[in-house]
Amino acid sequence: MPKGSNVPVPTTALRVELGWRPGPGVPDADASALLLVDGKVRTDADFVFYNQPTHSSGAVRHEGKNNAGGRMTDTLLVDLARVEPAVDRVVLAASADGGTFGQVPDLYIEVRDAAQNTVVARFDSTGATVETAFVLGEFYRRQGAWKFRAVGQGYGTGLEGLATDFGITVDEPQQAAPAVTMPPPSGPPVNLPPPPVTVAPPVTVIPPPMPPTAPTTPVRLSKVTLTKAAPSVSLTKQGGTSGAMRVNLNWEVRKQFSGWGSKRGRAVAMHADLDLDLCALYELADGRKGVVQALGNAYGSLQRPPYIHLDGDDRTGASASGENLTVNLDHIKDFRRILVFVTIYEGARSFADLHATVTLQPQHGAAIDFSLDECTVPSTVCALALITNTGGDLVVQREARYLVPDRGVSPQRTVDRIYGWGMNWTPGRK
């Protein structure tokens, strides 16, 4: 579609894909949506993005990123049938993280029918320079039907500038005023008479009027990336103290191998049917221990112990959602520690030449993500993140630790031994 053109779209569930070509020096990009009435949001809850991934109506949901086939995507699911009658536009935006869109090649937005997986509309954005945010497209009502318009309007003020332009209140970190240090007195001490005491008449103090209460809590645009230098973060400090936290694993096989062939002798037997399993060891405050994993159909539960649930078993890693664990943060007091790890179930002998990204997305608060390091050992199990209850606060620690099981020892037993869970294991299958 050319910029400014429009096309009718079905009033149904649509998958909106923001895509670009990643590479060295290419900034990350994030998709977002704003539900508007007469050009503005009604409240900050009408902004859907990585820190606020679901609209209360269920009409818009941020599904997250995927890296496959040399293309990075960030996806929104928009169900136009569930958009409230008062909403007349759904703006589809992109923001650059760590650079400008002039550094992002092959940027596009594509709309697909979620049920049929057919392309409804596509707009390729070109000519970007210093922009750090874009309105790429929008759904709008016209005579009782929905249309999609290719917009391509750029902003130099990033996601914050774009959001505030549509009426969003952004929570900016406040810096404390610098302390004022008085210089020490000079010269020898002098004995001065006490000052006279003056008794002032009583004064009636009229307190100033209280400011009106904001209708919603301001949104937080910050994201947290864990690194070797800064490997941990407090969920409380990021606002993630309640609701559901999704732990997502996405991966991409850089190369396809049929056997052991690396000149460096690494285990690189990767196949198209690579099946990774996202798992979690847990220890509750009352001492109970266990595992959540697809093996043995131990999928867990959100509403009863262990308050952790494995959403499904993705055997490709190439879906929009990857593999997901969900942790019920309403039960923080019930957790002692959680170790999230991943195993190779079949299709490879090692994590070598595998690129994976881990994202922890609390329902409230900043997203936390990190990438795995390159694997240089014949590892079939990788410890991803250790979540520990520290004084009522859950602290997320980046592990990104590849482990090599001894001959005849399962990956689960290996990670148990390294992290001291002390469980009894029996063979299982899925």
Side-chain angles (χ1 to χ4, degrees):
M1 296 176 62
K3 182 177 178 179
S5 62
N6 61 75
V7 63
V9 294
T11 306
T12 183
L14 301 171
R15 180 160 281 110
V16 179
E17 181 179 278
L18 170 71
W20 67 97
R21 179 162 47 87
V26 176
D28 194 18
D30 297 294
S32 57
L34 300 105
L35 289 79
L36 306 183
V37 178
D38 296 329
K40 297 289 184 180
V41 297
R42 296 163 296 180
T43 70
D44 294 339
D46 284 338
F47 185 29
V48 177
F49 69 119
Y50 47 78
N51 279 349
Q52 197 165 266
T54 305
H55 191 259
S56 58
S57 68
V60 183
R61 185 173 74 245
H62 180 250
E63 292 196 324
K65 289 189 172 68
N66 184 44
N67 188 342
R71 182 179 64 181
M72 179 70 77
T73 58
D74 196 13
T75 304
L76 298 163
L77 185 65
V78 181
D79 190 347
L80 295 177
R82 301 180 69 175
V83 175
E84 298 149 300
V87 174
D88 50 37
R89 290 168 60 200
V90 179
V91 166
L92 307 169
S95 56
D97 185 10
T100 68
F101 277 109
Q103 302 167 274
V104 179
D106 302 340
L107 180 69
Y108 69 89
I109 187 170
E110 186 173 87
V111 180
R112 288 179 171 267
D113 186 306
Q116 304 296 327
N117 199 31
T118 54
V119 177
V120 175
R122 179 183 171 110
F123 171 53
D124 291 272
S125 180
T126 59
T129 55
V130 298
E131 296 86 354
T132 49
F134 262 104
V135 173
L136 291 176
E138 64 181 10
F139 297 115
Y140 66 98
R141 295 185 194 264
R142 181 61 54 88
Q143 298 178 346
W146 284 97
K147 289 188 173 184
F148 172 80
R149 178 186 290 121
V151 179
Q153 177 185 351
Y155 290 74
T157 50
L159 184 59
E160 180 179 345
L162 183 148
T164 54
D165 195 39
F166 288 104
I168 297 294
T169 304
V170 176
D171 182 17
E172 296 180 348
Q174 300 294 319
Q175 293 185 350
V180 178
T181 304
M182 298 299 293
S186 59
V190 177
N191 295 322
L192 298 177
V197 178
T198 302
V199 179
V203 177
T204 302
V205 178
I206 302 176
M210 296 296 291
T213 303
T216 58
T217 303
V219 298
R220 303 183 65 182
L221 304 182
S222 58
K223 290 195 296 183
V224 178
T225 298
L226 300 182
T227 63
K228 288 182 179 179
S232 64
V233 67
S234 159
L235 281 177
T236 298
K237 291 180 180 179
Q238 300 305 317
T241 57
S242 63
M245 179 176 70
R246 186 176 70 169
V247 183
N248 172 263
L249 173 70
N250 260 302
W251 64 88
E252 175 193 11
V253 179
R254 291 195 181 99
K255 301 175 184 178
Q256 299 292 330
F257 293 90
S258 59
W260 298 72
S262 170
K263 292 182 180 179
R264 289 181 286 174
R266 292 186 297 164
V268 293
M270 292 285 182
H271 300 284
D273 59 350
L274 174 66
D275 181 11
L276 303 185
D277 283 343
L278 188 62
C279 315
L281 283 170
Y282 63 83
E283 182 179 2
L284 301 182
D286 61 9
R288 284 180 288 178
K289 299 177 183 179
V291 64
V292 174
Q293 60 178 5
L295 197 66
N297 297 319
Y299 287 94
S301 173
L302 279 183
Q303 304 308 322
R304 60 181 184 272
Y307 309 111
I308 305 168
H309 182 253
L310 178 64
D311 296 0
D313 182 21
D314 179 12
R315 293 176 178 262
T316 66
S319 70
S321 58
E323 287 224 348
N324 298 279
L325 279 164
T326 305
V327 180
N328 189 343
L329 295 182
D330 292 333
H331 289 270
I332 284 180
K333 62 180 179 59
D334 293 301
F335 296 118
R336 181 171 294 166
R337 56 176 179 159
I338 304 168
L339 179 69
V340 182
F341 64 100
V342 58
T343 68
I344 297 176
Y345 182 71
E346 63 182 5
R349 300 181 189 178
S350 169
F351 286 106
D353 289 287
L354 185 75
H355 174 76
T357 303
V358 180
T359 303
L360 292 85
Q361 177 63 73
Q363 187 173 338
H364 309 288
I368 302 166
D369 62 17
F370 61 89
S371 295
L372 299 185
D373 298 324
E374 183 181 3
C375 179
T376 58
V377 294
S379 169
T380 56
V381 57
C382 179
L384 302 177
L386 181 63
I387 306 172
T388 308
N389 191 329
T390 305
D393 175 23
L394 290 185
V395 176
V396 179
Q397 171 83 23
R398 175 188 187 269
E399 295 293 303
R401 185 178 179 186
Y402 293 105
L403 307 176
V404 181
D406 294 332
R407 182 181 296 274
V409 178
S410 70
Q412 287 83 355
R413 285 180 183 270
T414 300
V415 75
D416 180 328
R417 177 177 57 83
I418 295 297
Y419 285 89
W421 240 261
M423 293 171 54
N424 295 319
W425 296 91
T426 58
R429 63 178 58 188
K430 60 177 183 178

